[in-house]
Amino acid sequence: MAFSDAEQRAMARALELARRGPRSRNPQVGAVILSPDGDVIAEGWHHGAGTAHAEVDALSHLAPGAARGATAVVTLEPCNHTGRTGPCSEALIAAGVARVVYALDDPGDVESGGGDRLRAAGVSVESGLMAPEAHALLDSWLTARRLGRPHVTIKWAQSLDGRAAAADGTSQWITGAEARADVHVRRAQADAIVVGSGTLLADDPALTARDGDALHPAQPVPVVIGTADIPDGAAIRRHPHEAIHYRTRDLRAVLDDLHERGLHRVFVEGGPTLASAFLAAGLADRVLVYLAPTLLGGPRLALGEIGVPTISRQRRLAVEQVDRLGSDLLVVARPAPEAPEGGS
């Protein structure tokens, strides 16, 4: 695959535009239209459910016929179905676009096929440009499409000896200010933040995303799992969003309902019992572990039983990154692909 310098610059710009779109059931998509000479003549992005898709948004800024012979650079394969809007592949063909470059194939059974439809109409089509960057942008949406449930991130903070709290149960604060600020940034990127009722009663968390003393403009919906009632005076009652309370231990049912509500980025934050239950059920897509350079000893482990009866059943993780946050470390990991039988 050969991509011009102009196409590479356009894809980087399209990814920037995609981030302007809202996080929702629909993917964040950006598009840039290049003239035959490689100049940018239009830009667009998807503004939300029911609005024009990125390609059509970009084309709408051009006069009729102005896109003839142009190249459309898009972060996701143009769709090939009619929903609230028409197929983007048909719109590009009708506009006379000569070439389409996109980063990722659409994983949808209904929406995919736009690339093939374009090729059948004589349009030059290439895919894969800046695919890793596009995948990083759409990771949680792709997970939700592939698995039919939200993307789940499990977060915990622990001492170097694996404790989440001191022997008396106190845990504020194991990590420093930089690590706690990072947590709030990640909360703001989530659709829902989940705790167990035990942690709610013990710590009375607000479950808000804060920027210093102010609330972040984007707030995750607070979710509580457990049979205990939420006290009338609990801090969560003052959250900008009304809390969702699931009186069940069926985590898959919880995720099914959150998915149906359009909450596709789930951030599980407390405590050890709930984190362990999600891990034991195989419902973790990413793990964030904040490691503090301290030792606590005692019984308050960061994780409990996760279904590992013997070393051969250990839950291997693939580390994506390690960041220094003040005196603490953040380890970001995901479940590693299972090794084939007979492998080491």
Side-chain angles (χ1 to χ4, degrees), residues 202-216:
D203 297 342
D204 192 26
L207 299 186
T208 52
R210 296 184 296 279
D211 183 2
D213 294 330
L215 288 180
H216 195 281

Side-chain angles (χ1 to χ4, degrees), residues 52-333:
H53 288 189
E55 303 93 316
V56 175
D57 184 44
L59 291 171
S60 71
H61 300 295
L62 296 174
R68 190 159 305 279
T71 295
V73 179
V74 193
T75 55
L76 186 67
E77 178 185 13
C79 69
N80 195 43
H81 86 298
T82 300
R84 295 187 186 181
T85 59
C88 293
S89 55
E90 296 290 347
L92 292 168
I93 293 167
V97 168
R99 178 171 167 82
V100 173
V101 174
Y102 65 86
L104 294 177
D105 292 332
D106 193 310
D109 292 334
V110 175
E111 296 84 355
S112 63
D116 289 340
R117 176 69 188 91
L118 289 160
R119 291 185 186 95
V123 178
S124 170
V125 179
E126 294 286 354
S127 63
L129 177 57
M130 298 186 70
E133 292 85 350
H135 193 283
L137 173 67
L138 295 177
D139 185 31
S140 56
W141 179 80
L142 291 167
T143 297
R145 291 304 299 266
R146 186 178 73 253
L147 300 179
R149 63 159 176 79
H151 179 282
V152 177
T153 296
I154 313 291
K155 168 264 174 182
W156 68 86
Q158 66 172 63
S159 62
L160 284 183
D161 58 343
R163 269 63 181 181
D168 65 354
T170 56
S171 61
Q172 296 181 340
W173 297 103
I174 290 177
T175 55
E178 292 89 343
R180 297 197 298 274
D182 185 77
V183 170
H184 282 278
V185 171
R186 294 175 186 274
R187 284 183 180 183
Q189 295 170 348
D191 298 324
I193 180 170
V194 183
V195 296
S197 57
T199 294
L200 182 79
L201 296 176
D203 297 342
D204 192 26
L207 299 186
T208 52
R210 296 184 296 279
D211 183 2
D213 294 330
L215 288 180
H216 195 281
Q219 291 293 323
V221 175
V223 175
V224 179
I225 300 177
T227 57
D229 291 335
I230 301 174
D232 290 339
I236 197 175
R237 297 284 191 187
R238 299 186 291 278
H239 194 285
H241 297 296
E242 183 178 355
I244 304 173
H245 189 187
Y246 295 101
R247 299 176 184 272
T248 179
R249 290 187 173 86
D250 187 341
L251 299 181
R252 292 183 183 275
V254 169
L255 292 180
D256 284 346
D257 187 67
L258 292 175
H259 187 267
E260 184 63 27
R261 293 171 183 259
L263 303 175
H264 293 165
R265 299 162 180 84
V266 171
F267 194 69
V268 178
E269 193 162 338
T273 300
L274 189 63
S276 301
F278 270 94
L279 288 164
L283 295 174
D285 302 298
R286 181 164 283 109
V287 171
L288 306 179
V289 183
Y290 293 85
L291 289 168
T294 189
L295 303 173
L296 295 176
R300 303 280 185 165
L301 295 173
L303 284 182
E305 174 59 51
I306 60 170
V308 180
T310 183
I311 195 65
S312 64
R313 299 282 297 279
Q314 62 188 293
R315 303 294 183 94
R316 286 283 185 182
L317 301 175
V319 175
E320 294 181 334
Q321 66 187 78
V322 179
D323 294 332
R324 183 76 176 262
L325 300 171
S327 61
D328 304 314
L329 293 178
L330 168 61
V331 179
V332 181

